[in-house]
Amino acid sequence: MKSVAILAAFVVTLATVHGHDHTIEWTITGEAFEECIAPGETLEFIWAGGHNVEEVSAAGYVDCSGITNTEPVAGNYKFIARNAGTFYFVCGVGGHCKGGNQKAKITVDPSC
């Protein structure tokens, strides 16, 4: 009976740790966003209008290149962290990336 209680507590802890959702208010702030999330967690970019989310390379993150869609889209965008690594996102609309620094660096790591 004691082992069942310990197992139940462990399962609840796992559900709490790995079921956490994160959000970014995807607006032009002049500062890039940085988040660290664990594999299996979700990060949602939330905006009211006038933006999009484009995944780019590390170089594309630095110089706002590699953007394929420059049109705004209805939000939101959900990123599910399936694998460890670093992922880069920018807003491809107008000068939002270059002029407004609207970008996000997401680190996916079990230690987050």
Side-chain angles (χ1 to χ4, degrees), residues 49-94:
H51 302 291
N52 69 22
V53 177
E54 291 276 301
E55 186 170 359
V56 296
S57 67
Y61 177 81
V62 171
D63 64 9
C64 297
S65 64
I67 297 168
T68 59
N69 182 16
T70 59
E71 296 297 319
V73 298
N76 299 332
Y77 177 83
K78 204 174 261 194
F79 170 69
I80 300 170
R82 300 191 197 293
N83 302 306
T86 304
F87 300 86
Y88 303 92
F89 300 91
V90 301
C91 181
V93 176

Side-chain angles (χ1 to χ4, degrees), residues 84-110:
T86 304
F87 300 86
Y88 303 92
F89 300 91
V90 301
C91 181
V93 176
H96 293 190
C97 182
K98 277 190 180 180
N101 209 26
Q102 189 176 8
K103 49 186 165 180
K105 177 182 174 183
I106 311 304
T107 302
V108 178
D109 190 276

Side-chain angles (χ1 to χ4, degrees), residues 21-33:
D21 290 332
H22 303 264
T23 59
I24 289 178
E25 293 290 332
W26 195 232
T27 60
I28 297 172
T29 64
E31 298 290 327
F33 297 93

Side-chain angles (χ1 to χ4, degrees), residues 11-25:
V11 170
V12 168
T13 301
L14 278 179
T16 303
V17 171
H18 292 290
H20 188 72
D21 290 332
H22 303 264
T23 59
I24 289 178
E25 293 290 332

